[in-house]
Amino acid sequence: MLNLLKEFNMIKRGLIVLVLAALVAGGVFAQKNTITVDLGPTIVGAAFGAVGKMIGEEGFNTSGFGIGAQYEFQPFEKVSFAGRFAYLGLGVGYTEKDNSGFEAKLNMDLNSFSIEGHARFYPFGETFFLDGMAGYGRLMANMSGQVIVEEYGVSKRESVSLSPARNYIKLGAKLGWRITFGRSGSGFTFEPSAGYYFGIGMGNTIGKQLADHIGNDIDEGDISGFDDAFGLLEKFILIGGPRVSLAFGWRF
């Protein structure tokens, strides 16, 4: 029994030494904090907003806005952890009318946001980093339309409004560079990065929800085409796809 107690005390002392060694090793590197604002989503939103002007079709317009914000905590020289929030909103409007009194209006607003957890590895201790991400995303579509038909001097109106939404699990990775303009690794920071994100959708697609809402009032082929087009927006712009980040902030 006495020998067992001695062995237990030796193991306990050994664990204490390992913990202290880890704390000392981590303490050699001064902990750093970085707060950044990402203009990557802002550029995407502005580019989408310019699409309507480029097409130049009367009655057709687009708009967009996005922003991202991140807090990074770096307890070790080569490893850091970060939390990030991102928002991207796109809008499409279309109006058609003629001299007979017919007028049709369609507005669609797509709003996506995500809450992400990031782990970064700095293989050389500074500048270059590998970033892995796991998070949650939500996409909300607000659609409204109205048709006005004038018959025998009487205007008839038909309106529709619906707001389907979908949740996602997000996964992704990026490569980037952190450039700090200051002494001792503190000061103004610029972080360009690029990577790819994936979105795993939960529940029915936006197109399927639209079909369930409308029922038999629209052709199934039209819904399928809409669902395919909307799926491209989900995969490559709103939720997943290539990601370019241009982040500016302060490291301290």
Side-chain angles (χ1 to χ4, degrees):
M1 185 68 178
L2 184 60
N3 289 333
L4 288 175
L5 289 174
K6 288 182 178 179
E7 290 181 6
F8 175 75
N9 287 330
M10 290 179 62
I11 293 172
K12 184 171 68 175
R13 285 195 293 270
L15 290 173
I16 292 174
V17 170
L18 288 174
V19 171
L20 289 174
L23 291 174
V24 171
V28 171
F29 175 78
Q31 296 178 352
K32 292 291 185 178
N33 302 274
T34 307
I35 298 175
T36 56
V37 175
D38 183 10
L39 299 183
T42 309
I43 296 172
V44 173
F48 186 83
V51 169
K53 295 181 180 179
M54 293 174 58
I55 293 176
E57 183 175 343
E58 185 178 355
F60 179 78
N61 62 83
T62 58
S63 62
F65 175 77
I67 195 72
Q70 177 173 288
Y71 166 71
E72 178 189 5
F73 172 63
Q74 188 169 1
F76 305 107
E77 182 181 9
K78 294 186 177 182
V79 178
S80 71
F81 306 95
R84 184 175 186 270
F85 172 83
Y87 167 80
L88 178 61
L90 307 177
V92 178
Y94 180 72
T95 301
E96 181 181 350
K97 56 184 177 180
D98 57 28
N99 296 328
S100 67
F102 171 84
E103 182 176 355
K105 298 179 181 179
L106 173 65
N107 292 289
M108 181 170 61
D109 294 318
L110 307 174
N111 298 286
S112 68
F113 72 86
S114 61
I115 300 172
E116 305 164 0
H118 292 252
R120 283 186 176 183
F121 176 58
Y122 294 84
F124 309 114
E126 279 292 335
T127 310
F128 176 73
F129 62 82
L130 308 173
D131 184 305
M133 181 278 295
Y136 162 80
R138 182 171 175 82
L139 175 60
M140 297 165 288
N142 298 312
M143 306 175 185
S144 62
Q146 185 180 65
V147 175
I148 304 174
V149 179
E150 186 171 330
E151 293 181 349
Y152 306 107
V154 179
S155 294
K156 297 182 179 180
R157 300 172 183 262
E158 292 288 342
S159 301
V160 62
S161 178
L162 64 155
S163 301
R166 198 181 190 198
N167 299 316
Y168 302 81
I169 296 173
K170 296 185 64 175
L171 301 170
K174 293 194 299 184
L175 302 176
W177 295 260
R178 181 177 63 198
I179 305 169
T180 302
F181 303 88
R183 297 179 179 178
S184 302
S186 299
F188 178 76
T189 297
F190 173 52
E191 293 184 359
S193 62
Y196 200 93
Y197 284 2
F198 299 90
I200 303 172
M202 294 178 282
N204 291 332
T205 64
I206 299 294
K208 180 64 167 61
Q209 294 179 54
L210 176 64
D212 291 342
H213 179 86
I214 297 177
N216 298 323
D217 294 338
I218 193 169
D219 185 78
E220 184 177 344
D222 293 336
I223 288 294
S224 177
F226 175 84
D227 202 16
D228 291 342
F230 204 93
L232 293 176
L233 286 175
E234 290 177 283
K235 292 178 182 178
F236 297 109
I237 297 179
L238 291 164
I239 299 297
R243 284 294 182 269
V244 175
S245 174
L246 295 174
F248 302 83
W250 192 262
R251 191 164 186 250
F252 55 94

